[in-house]
Amino acid sequence: KDFSYAWAVFVLFHMHFTQILHTISIGLTVTLAIWRYVAIRHPHGRFAAFLLSHCNEAIIFSFIISPIVCFPTLFVFKVRESYVEDSKVPLYHVYADKDTHLYRINFWIHSVIIKLLPCCILTVISFILVRVLYEASKRKQKLKDYNNSNKTSGGNGGASCGGEVPLTEQRRPPKCDRRTDRTTMLLVAVLILFLITEFPQGILGLLSGVLAKCFFFVCYPPFGEMMDLLALINAAIGFVLYGLMSKQFRTTFKSLFFKKNFGSMEMTRLTRVTTTCV
């Protein structure tokens, strides 16, 4: 009963279906990182305008390319019929022919294209974004210090003020700086979660493709359950993290499921403020 044909088909379908959905989520994460980079680094360039005018096509592309990348897996795993000694009842389970070249090619595709390549792209883009945000914050701070010094020198008859800033003038950081800090924290948190989840899977898959069956049977299965658990944690925490750290994501979520008109106006206002601050 535990090894029926219907249950084996369900396990096979579940394996392919979840892998395609997980690959789609990885593609959307990388697409979002590229959008953040273009919007912050070149907010008024032609490339940014091109991306904004083709955002639907970019999202659909992730849904199209992911099944194509996962397509070789369909030919590697299949349902196999076997028998136990002294029993005529067939047992069905998911089986992979590990002696074929397609089996090793599937590991290479899974590790390099689906795991390691997005990790590298997201790491580079996130570090560039963090650097750009901090550079923009420093430039704004220098401009504020320069304007404050001009006002102080003008108020003292042209004399420079070398003393400390009065306590009445010491205020909290402006909203723009606080928003920059939150955005930086969000980028770092997303990067860390993504790397913790995907990078070990990519390394194990790459070693399985290089070292073939010996490494896979000995080293990969003990970490399989942990990898699945990390993927589930990343999916659950990522959604909450975006909502807690970004008001734009909260506003977009409200505009999609609750108040569309209010969400659209609020989203336009937030986008204008963010572009001005950066």
Side-chain angles (χ1 to χ4, degrees):
K1 294 182 179 179
D2 293 336
F3 294 91
S4 62
Y5 180 78
W7 183 250
V9 172
F10 172 77
V11 171
L12 185 64
F13 169 79
H14 182 272
M15 180 185 66
H16 294 310
F17 187 66
T18 53
Q19 183 182 4
I20 292 175
L21 291 182
H22 189 65
T23 307
I24 291 174
S25 68
I26 294 174
L28 293 176
T29 302
V30 176
T31 303
L32 179 60
I34 296 175
W35 277 346
R36 287 200 302 259
Y37 169 76
V38 174
I40 293 177
R41 195 66 182 267
H42 308 285
H44 304 293
R46 295 181 179 179
F47 191 49
F50 176 80
L51 285 181
L52 288 176
S53 61
H54 296 82
C55 58
N56 293 330
E57 289 85 349
I59 295 174
I60 294 175
F61 178 76
S62 299
F63 284 85
I64 295 176
I65 196 64
S66 297
I68 295 176
V69 174
C70 299
F71 191 71
T73 311
L74 299 176
F75 299 97
V76 174
F77 296 93
K78 58 187 71 176
V79 177
R80 182 181 182 183
E81 178 181 340
S82 61
Y83 293 87
V84 184
E85 296 181 359
D86 300 332
S87 177
K88 297 182 179 180
V89 179
L91 305 179
Y92 298 94
H93 59 90
V94 178
Y95 170 80
D97 190 0
K98 304 174 181 60
D99 296 324
T100 61
H101 293 287
L102 186 60
Y103 181 79
R104 300 186 63 179
I105 292 175
N106 179 67
F107 272 112
W108 282 91
I109 295 176
H110 180 78
S111 59
V112 177
I113 298 179
I114 299 179
K115 301 296 181 181
L116 296 181
L117 183 60
C119 286
C120 296
I121 295 175
L122 190 61
T123 301
V124 173
I125 292 179
S126 298
F127 275 114
I128 293 176
L129 285 177
V130 171
R131 187 184 64 182
V132 170
L133 290 173
Y134 272 115
E135 289 177 354
S137 179
K138 290 180 180 179
R139 286 196 300 267
K140 292 193 293 286
Q141 189 62 37
K142 289 181 180 179
L143 291 174
K144 292 174 185 177
D145 294 340
Y146 178 76
N147 293 330
N148 292 334
S149 63
N150 288 338
K151 292 180 181 179
T152 305
S153 61
N156 293 335
S160 60
C161 179
E164 297 181 356
V165 180
L167 293 177
T168 55
E169 297 183 6
Q170 294 180 358
R171 301 177 180 177
R172 295 178 59 191
K175 288 185 178 180
C176 181
D177 294 338
R178 296 200 300 268
R179 188 179 295 112
T180 299
D181 294 337
R182 289 197 300 268
T183 305
T184 303
M185 293 173 58
L186 175 63
L187 295 176
V188 174
V190 170
L191 172 63
I192 293 175
L193 284 175
F194 192 86
L195 291 180
I196 291 177
T197 304
E198 306 298 338
F199 191 74
Q201 295 185 26
I203 293 297
L204 289 176
L206 181 61
L207 293 176
S208 299
V210 173
L211 303 177
K213 296 183 293 184
C214 179
F215 179 85
F216 179 77
F217 285 113
V218 176
C219 300
Y220 198 94
F223 297 99
E225 299 294 337
M226 183 182 298
M227 298 301 173
D228 294 339
L229 181 61
L230 289 176
L232 294 175
I233 293 175
N234 182 32
I237 295 180
F239 178 79
V240 178
L241 193 64
Y242 277 109
L244 292 177
M245 288 189 167
S246 177
K247 189 175 182 180
Q248 289 182 338
F249 280 94
R250 294 195 299 269
T251 304
T252 304
F253 183 82
K254 293 178 182 178
S255 66
L256 288 174
F257 296 99
F258 298 102
K259 301 177 181 179
K260 293 186 178 180
N261 295 329
F262 171 78
S264 300
M265 292 186 295
E266 184 71 12
M267 191 65 199
T268 303
R269 185 186 69 82
L270 286 172
T271 305
R272 189 184 302 115
V273 171
T274 303
T275 305
T276 303
C277 291
V278 173

